[in-house]
Structures are given as C-alpha cells and as structure tokens.
Amino acid sequence: MSYLIRLFLLLPFVFGFLNCDAQSYAFRVKFKDKNGTLSFADSSIILTPKSLARRAKQGILLDSTDLPVVQSYIDTVLQTAAAVKLHNVSKWFNQIVVITYDSTKATQIAQLPMVENVKFVARYAPGVFKIPAEIHDYKLESKPIASAEKKTRGTSAYYGLSFQQMDIIDIDCLHDLGFKGEGMDIAVMDVNFRYVNTCPQFDSLILENRIKDTKDYVKDTNYVFSVAINNDHGMNSLSCMAANSPASYVGSAIKANYFLYITEDVATEQPIEEDNWVSAAERADSLGVDLINTSLGYNLYSAPHTSYSYMDLNGQTSLIVKGTRYASAKGIFVVVAQGNEGANPWHYMLTPADGDSVYSVGSVDGSGAWGQSSYGPTYDGRIKPDGCCIGKGVEIIFGYNGSCAPGATNGSSFAAPTMCGAIACLWQAFPHLTASQLKKAIIKSSSLYNSPNNTLGYGIPNFCTAYNTILPTNNILYHTNQFLIYPNPTQYHFNISNLGNSKYTYKIYDIVGRLVYQHPTLILGESVCTALEHQSSGDYIILLSSGDKSFSTKITKH
C-alpha cells in the first residue's frame, strides 16, 4: 500500500531548494559514535524490566545499539539546523531525523565533527506538523461487552464470519486449549486506528485495559484514532487479531495486549516513513513487546526520491529491513505482509518482506489457492513468503461513519495479522522458546515444508500440529515470564529479581537435565546466585518457581 526507496546523499540536489518558509525539509543525520552516552549500568533507565526479561529469556546480551544517542549531539544538530522539530531518534542506527525550514542547513550539519552523513528524507507543505484540535486530549472509556462468550468448539457458531481464516491454520485448536494470547504483547505498525476506540468489536480491549501504548509517529502525538484521516487500514488489520464479537467475528489473539503505532503517512510517499517505523520498533523493544505486525510494504517513493529495484530486495538494503533485523536480534518476532503485487508488472514482494529474520505472510483463498500476493524469491535467492493465510476474501472489521461491521476484502495486509495473532497464542503456550525456535516450528508445520516455492512459500501453517510437535520436548511447565536474570552470560555469579514481588525458589540443571543446584529456602525480592562458581563453562537451565507458577531460561557460564 505504501512504498519504500533507497536513500542517497543528495545534498547537491537538496541545496537547490529555495530557502523559504513555504515548506519544510526532513534530514536524517547519522552520528559517528556514542561517546558520552549512558552505560550498560543504566540499563534500567534504557529498557523496562519486561524488555530486559525478554532478552534474559532468550540469552540476548545488551550491546551498543541499546545505548541512547548522545544528547549533546542532538542539541548541537537542532541548533545548527534552526530546527522546526526533532522528528525521530534511533539508538539502533545512532541517528536522528530533524526538520527545518532551511534546506541549506544540511551543509552546516554535515560539517559538524560528530556527524557521519546527512540524507534528505522528506519535504512537506506548510502546516503539516500542526496537531488538529481533536487530538489534544482524550482517554479510552470502558464499556460493557455487548455479549458474553459462548464458545462452540471450532465452528462458525463461535467465530462467525472469521471462522474460515481461523480454521485454515487450525488456530481454533489452541483457542480450545485456552491459549488466546493472554499476557502476550503485540505492536501494530500501520496507518490509522479510527473507530478502535468506539467500535463494539473492540470493547473488550477497552474494558480490560489491553491497549497498552499508542503513538502517531507522523504527527508526533499519542492519539491514533483520528476521524480526520479517511483511512481505517490500521483498525482493519488490528481486527484480524483483536476483534471479539462471538457468533459474529472473533480474531486470532483476542486476549493479547496491543501497542498501536502510526508510522505510515497516507498523504505522502517518502522515505521518512521507514524512520517512523524504526522509532516505533525501538519503542516497542524498550517496552518489552513480544511481536510486531507490519501490514506495510515499500518499493516506490514520489520524486525526487529514488525507488528500490529488485536488486535491493536482498534483506539488507532498506532502512526498514535493517530495522527488522535489529528487532529480531532483540528477541522480537516480526511478522510482515508479503504485498499484493502478484498480478502487476512489479510482481515481487515489498520490503521489509525480503528480510531474513522476518516471517512474511502471503495470501491464499479459502481453498488454499494463491490469492495474487507478491512473489519471491528475494534477490539473493531466499524462499518467500515464509507462510500463507487467507488474504483473498478475508473477513475484517470495517468502519462506516463510526458504525462497524464485518465484511470481506483482499490483501496480505490482513493475512499477516491473522498469522501474527496465531503465533502469539503458540508462544503463550511455550514461552521458553526463542523467537527463532518458534519460527522454525511454525515453518516445519506448514503444508509445503518439504517442497516450498516462491508463490506460497512454505505454505499454510497448522498451529495444532506445531503445538503437538513442540509439546513432547516441553518437559518443564512454563507459565510466566516474571523473573529477570542478569548478567547473562556470566563469569559465575548472577542476580535473580522477581518482578512479581512474591516468594520463590530455584533449581539449576545442566544441559542434559541433571540437577546441579537447588536453593533450600524461599526468597523474597532479589538474590545473588553463586551456584555456578564450581561448575564448568557452558549452558545451564534455571527453573524458578513462585507458588503454582514456574519460569525457566538458559544461562551461560563463560
């Protein structure tokens, strides 16, 4: 639906713009270093406990990309640019996007000693950054749920019009087992979420306080429900996971928590939108989000920007695909739409579906036949998409002047969130798995696993099969991720902090399952463990128990 383009250092062209207040210009400014920023000792400031816990569970270490951009560098650029505003800050890429009325300021910015390069990413008409009055103040008000859940297992009597798209991937099997996404955090990067705050299909989100964070990165406001923007794509995508109206329409993860981020500017097609996505992904990471759904794709931008070629779809060219690699490296499961270009002259996927760490989702119809989604392979020869779900004749929730109802449409934009919600339910069932392990299990359960192609990829996953495949290897019960363990890896001692603030005990097993240590008493709060002091280097499993709940993760001794 949107497009992406490769950015070059177009300073000679940019300098040709007239210096006037009629329009404003956005520049991406990349810094050379982070000298003078915070240290890893300030990790509790940089990241939330949930974000640190997600890393600890998957054995992911903090690195320089987790440290913030140097504030004095930002201040110097803002002053040099005579900036209208600071639009984006990216710690992953050590860069910012600054907006100014004077395009010639790019020359002065580029000459600053801490600046590596400057790139032009957007041009705007006057007044684009003025926030409409409707979005100054708001709050979500709880409403009663229209009807109580009365489930008839795996039939349209419960799911209503969404039954076919749930049944084709067998996610109703996990729902029957009680896995509906509870406790899982999903960030949705999209356009606009108009009517989510008023449609009865989303009442349970409001009533149960499961919209955890919102941000419009285009307008730089927390309001994402604008009726002034005539586009419901974000709400449509969200409905595939979160809408909950039994007997009418039920999404794939109706109990998950949601983080709603607008990154797409429907008024323009410019590279700044990938900067918006990166900012949203970094925020999601810092808040501990488990999954990201992105029903956006890019290959073209408006002049004067340069469009992507097929050669650029190699998983490492676009800023947004590089951003997905960072997000995945932080332990987030990233789901993206493959695109809908299959019947067009450009019939390939859009970026970031070319990413090697994302799970890209193509479209099929109810019979499992191709639904005209974009083709693979990537330019470097990798199979795409990674999987398929119903995207042709898919049921979503539409908004009609504030009145909402299900209806059919087409697009991998809606196959992707259906799949993302299903993945969240599977991860809820097996929270000890890493994102990479989860992806492999899903692909292995898919209909074309042994004979993938570049139309349907690995085919249609079966989440009941994936669950039953993982289950025999799940010898320990994993119920909650309420503990933080650091540092990991460790020399021999490490800290254990119970984020649930209740008493707990723990055991440590070697990699073949032998018990090597058992703490004899209950602990409250934080404890320092020295049990690995006399153990050999390698991987261990720590099992922590608090009441009737338990949690385990891998810990490595150097």
Side-chain angles (χ1 to χ4, degrees), residues 292-342:
I292 289 174
N293 183 80
T294 298
S295 292
L296 303 170
Y298 303 87
N299 74 326
L300 298 174
Y301 273 135
S302 305
H305 305 290
T306 305
S307 295
Y308 281 115
S309 69
Y310 175 54
M311 291 177 63
D312 297 316
L313 298 185
N314 55 17
Q316 53 187 342
T317 296
S318 69
L319 180 71
I320 192 172
V321 83
K322 293 176 183 177
T324 64
R325 296 182 88 176
Y326 275 123
S328 298
K330 309 301 182 186
I332 299 173
F333 198 113
V334 183
V335 181
V336 301
Q338 176 80 352
N340 308 310
E341 312 302 314

Side-chain angles (χ1 to χ4, degrees), residues 476-515:
I476 304 173
L477 296 177
Y478 301 87
H479 297 288
T480 182
N481 299 343
Q482 68 181 35
F483 290 91
L484 176 62
I485 300 173
Y486 62 96
N488 186 7
T490 179
Q491 292 296 329
Y492 70 89
H493 74 272
F494 54 94
N495 297 67
I496 305 172
S497 180
N498 186 354
L499 306 179
N501 197 31
S502 58
K503 292 182 178 180
Y504 66 97
T505 187
Y506 62 90
K507 300 176 183 178
I508 299 177
Y509 299 82
D510 65 16
I511 204 64
V512 297
R514 292 179 296 228
L515 180 67

Side-chain angles (χ1 to χ4, degrees), residues 209-373:
N209 192 32
R210 288 188 287 105
I211 297 179
K212 297 299 185 180
D213 191 44
T214 59
K215 179 77 173 181
D216 181 345
Y217 285 90
V218 177
K219 294 291 187 182
D220 194 20
T221 173
N222 292 331
Y223 192 76
V224 297
F225 311 112
S226 175
V227 297
I229 300 175
N230 188 27
N231 191 301
D232 300 335
H233 191 269
M235 183 269 281
N236 303 149
S237 299
L238 179 66
S239 70
C240 298
M241 297 180 278
N244 185 16
S245 183
S248 173
Y249 188 100
V250 177
S252 56
I254 58 172
K255 293 296 185 181
N257 301 316
Y258 290 94
F259 298 65
L260 308 182
Y261 300 131
I262 295 175
T263 63
E264 170 76 9
D265 187 351
V266 294
T268 66
E269 294 296 345
Q270 303 189 83
I272 197 171
E273 292 169 27
E274 61 180 336
D275 293 276
N276 294 340
W277 190 96
V278 168
S279 290
E282 291 187 18
R283 183 179 178 99
D285 168 41
S286 68
L287 294 175
V289 160
D290 301 299
L291 303 99
I292 289 174
N293 183 80
T294 298
S295 292
L296 303 170
Y298 303 87
N299 74 326
L300 298 174
Y301 273 135
S302 305
H305 305 290
T306 305
S307 295
Y308 281 115
S309 69
Y310 175 54
M311 291 177 63
D312 297 316
L313 298 185
N314 55 17
Q316 53 187 342
T317 296
S318 69
L319 180 71
I320 192 172
V321 83
K322 293 176 183 177
T324 64
R325 296 182 88 176
Y326 275 123
S328 298
K330 309 301 182 186
I332 299 173
F333 198 113
V334 183
V335 181
V336 301
Q338 176 80 352
N340 308 310
E341 312 302 314
N344 298 330
W346 173 289
H347 58 271
Y348 296 109
M349 78 231 84
L350 306 177
T351 194
D354 59 312
D356 56 6
S357 57
V358 306
Y359 185 93
S360 65
V361 184
S363 296
V364 294
D365 63 18
S367 67
W370 173 65
Q372 296 189 348
S373 59

